[in-house]
Amino acid sequence: MMRIDIISAVPDLLISPLNTSIIKRAQDKRKVEIFVHNLRDYAYDKHKQIDDKPFGGGPGMLLKPEPFFECIEKLLSERAYDYIIFPTPGGKYYNQQMANKFSLAKNIMILAGHYKGIDDRVREKFATDEISIGNYVLTGGELAALVIIDSVVRLIPGVLNDSESALNDSLMDGEIIEAPYYTRPAEYKGMKVPDVLLSGHDKKIKEWKEEQSKILTDKWKKINNLEK
Ligand code: 6GU
């Protein structure tokens, strides 16, 4: 079973999403176990302080190194980690290939910063993979951690059922956009489901899906300035 440990100053941002829907089901099925560690539990000074002002000035507060070191070193004393992921806007842009790589791991640790970030010695000492989830700024690494966990857990064998994983076929490398899907009613507010999907003609349906997929993939490449 895969094990994921997340260290965070704001564990409430993580708890509910990790105990909902497919990620919850994956844990219930013993495909993955996920532990959220509250940074404050590792603040050993009398005021349980986890943040402090940055040296050199500037706005905002930084997470202090000691609680991270305490928590990380405790975890490292218990098992080896394949990856220690550090979500940061300065990291490598996350993609499906990276999710595929992480999904083969036994043990993963994720260090989620908040406020202005974490004292940089934590990254320097422990991070194996620095990851950004896109060109915009979040309030902390927690949402990025959830994105990474969701994309990794769904790849673990036995997590998705057949109908869920069929969606996955052509998306293996995240480079093909699938044809649109419709369900009943066949007409809603004057908007009709494409006739071919109601025809029962398997070969024509397959051809239509391939054609739509190509159109949407070309459009996706164009609006994102990818090749061609
Ligand atoms: Cl990983 N963290 C933060 N704080 N902002 C981000 C990000 C990560 N990726 C994109 N923006």
Side-chain angles (χ1 to χ4, degrees):
M1 180 174 24
M2 182 186 287
R3 174 180 173 123
I4 302 175
D5 291 272
I6 316 155
I7 306 173
S8 168
V10 197
D12 285 351
L13 277 172
L14 299 163
I15 305 288
S16 296
L18 293 173
N19 289 296
T20 305
S21 188
I22 293 173
I23 311 291
K24 171 181 169 46
R25 196 183 66 198
Q27 293 179 86
D28 292 344
K29 288 166 83 176
R30 316 291 300 153
K31 301 298 179 189
V32 62
E33 52 187 347
I34 304 176
F35 297 91
V36 177
H37 305 275
N38 188 345
L39 196 64
R40 201 166 293 278
D41 295 341
Y42 296 85
Y44 290 139
D45 70 295
K46 58 180 181 292
H47 297 109
K48 294 254 169 207
Q49 193 183 340
I50 56 171
D51 60 355
D52 206 341
K53 292 180 299 199
F55 280 122
M61 299 287 271
L62 280 184
L63 293 170
K64 293 160 60 65
E66 305 95 314
F68 273 104
F69 271 68
E70 290 286 341
C71 185
I72 295 167
E73 282 172 345
K74 174 172 184 290
L75 290 170
L76 286 173
S77 75
E78 293 164 348
R79 69 195 62 75
Y81 285 81
D82 303 288
Y83 303 106
I84 301 182
I85 298 171
F86 187 81
T88 168
K92 178 173 160 63
Y93 286 137
Y94 193 55
N95 63 29
Q96 188 64 42
Q97 284 68 37
M98 292 151 83
N100 294 347
K101 176 181 91 167
F102 293 144
S103 77
L104 302 175
K106 179 94 185 68
N107 300 310
I108 294 175
M109 196 190 304
I110 306 180
L111 313 177
H114 219 80
Y115 314 109
K116 287 265 70 168
I118 309 176
D119 183 290
D120 199 56
R121 287 167 289 192
V122 176
R123 178 199 61 76
E124 182 186 341
K125 177 80 177 173
F126 298 110
T128 64
D129 293 74
E130 299 175 33
I131 290 175
S132 165
I133 63 164
N135 191 10
Y136 45 80
V137 182
L138 301 170
T139 56
E142 284 80 7
L143 294 180
L146 289 173
V147 166
I148 294 163
I149 291 167
D150 187 283
S151 62
V152 167
V153 168
R154 68 183 289 284
L155 296 173
I156 299 171
V159 165
L160 299 186
N161 61 41
D162 286 347
S163 65
E164 290 162 347
S165 56
L167 287 172
N168 194 11
D169 285 349
S170 57
L171 272 167
M172 281 281 279
D173 298 314
E175 309 218 312
I176 291 174
I177 307 304
E178 298 213 330
Y181 289 94
Y182 303 88
T183 185
R184 291 183 289 183
E187 182 175 346
Y188 183 64
K189 293 187 188 290
M191 303 167 76
K192 287 185 168 153
V193 172
D195 282 333
V196 61
L197 294 178
L198 311 178
S199 70
H201 196 308
D202 286 352
K203 181 158 174 288
K204 283 205 174 128
I205 292 172
K206 185 164 175 285
E207 286 167 2
W208 180 86
K209 287 187 174 177
E210 284 167 3
E211 177 188 274
Q212 292 297 311
S213 171
K214 190 182 175 313
I215 291 168
L216 292 180
T217 302
D218 287 348
K219 175 186 157 201
W220 168 72
K221 287 184 177 170
K222 191 147 178 265
I223 64 182
N224 289 296
N225 301 315
L226 306 167
E227 64 194 88
K228 286 214 321 184

